Amino acid sequence: MNKVILMGRLTRDPEVRYSQGDSSMAIARYTLAVDRRFRRNNDGDQTADFIGCVAFGKSAEFAERYLRQGLKIVVTGRIQTGSYTNKDGQKVYTTDVVVEDQEFAESKAASDSNAGRYQAASPAPVSAPASDPGDGFMNIPDGIDEELPFN
C-alpha cells in the first residue's frame, strides 16, 4: 500500500501550470515544511523536512485558489518516484507526493495570525466572501455548488 499523510505549512504559494491540448488540466506544485517529531540536537531547534507535492485537475485549481505561503494544511496522497536527464547529461531522481486530498489544518483566524511569521510580503489573498473569523469555519464562495458532493 502506498499512502502518505502529511501536515505542514506551505513554503511558498503553489506554482500552477496548465497542460496543453484540447482539454487542458491544471497542475499545481508546492512544498510542505513538515516538522519532525523529535528535535535533532539538544539546543531545542525544531527540524523540518521539505516535501514536494503535486496536485492535478480540481485539486490543483483548489490549490491555486485557496492555498498560500505559510498556510497549514493536511495532505493525503501517494509517493511517486521518477527520473530525468538534465541538460548536463546527468540523471536526476525525483520523489513527490501525488495529492489525492488536501484540507485546511487550522481556522482562517489562526492562519491569519500566523501569516506574519511565515510570510515577509505576501500578495493579497483571493477575495472570498467575508466570514466571521471566530467561528473556525471557512465560508464557501458562491458558484461552486456543482463541485460539492452534497446539496
Side-chain angles (χ1 to χ4, degrees):
M1 175 186 273
N2 184 354
K3 186 80 166 176
V4 176
I5 302 171
L6 302 170
M7 181 172 13
R9 293 191 183 276
L10 276 80
T11 60
R12 63 176 187 255
D13 291 354
E15 179 183 310
V16 181
R17 296 183 179 170
Y18 288 84
S19 64
Q20 298 194 3
D22 293 336
S23 58
S24 67
M25 177 175 41
I27 303 166
R29 290 190 170 277
Y30 54 86
T31 302
L32 282 183
V34 179
D35 287 335
R36 291 187 179 169
R37 184 173 232 166
F38 302 104
R39 300 182 191 285
R40 176 181 288 172
N41 46 28
N42 294 333
D43 62 7
D45 288 339
Q46 182 75 37
T47 57
D49 292 303
F50 298 89
I51 301 170
C53 300
V54 60
F56 299 94
K58 294 283 185 190
S59 292
E61 292 171 10
F62 177 87
E64 180 178 36
R65 214 173 282 134
Y66 298 110
L67 302 186
R68 296 289 174 256
Q69 177 182 359
L71 185 69
K72 189 174 195 178
I73 63 171
V74 174
V75 169
T76 57
R78 60 185 170 82
I79 292 178
Q80 180 172 295
T81 60
S83 64
Y84 64 93
T85 304
N86 68 11
K87 62 183 177 185
D88 298 329
Q90 296 175 331
K91 193 159 196 164
V92 177
Y93 295 94
T94 61
T95 303
D96 289 310
V97 172
V98 177
V99 175
E100 294 170 357
D101 187 40
Q102 52 200 354
E103 302 175 16
F104 298 107
E106 62 188 358
S107 69
K108 177 132 175 61
S111 174
D112 289 345
S113 68
N114 287 328
R117 249 187 268 169
Y118 297 97
Q119 301 179 47
S122 65
V126 174
S127 62
S131 66
D132 177 17
D135 66 2
F137 293 97
M138 181 181 123
N139 237 2
I140 298 175
D142 294 332
I144 64 166
D145 293 335
E146 65 277 357
E147 296 178 32
L148 296 176
F150 52 85
N151 289 328

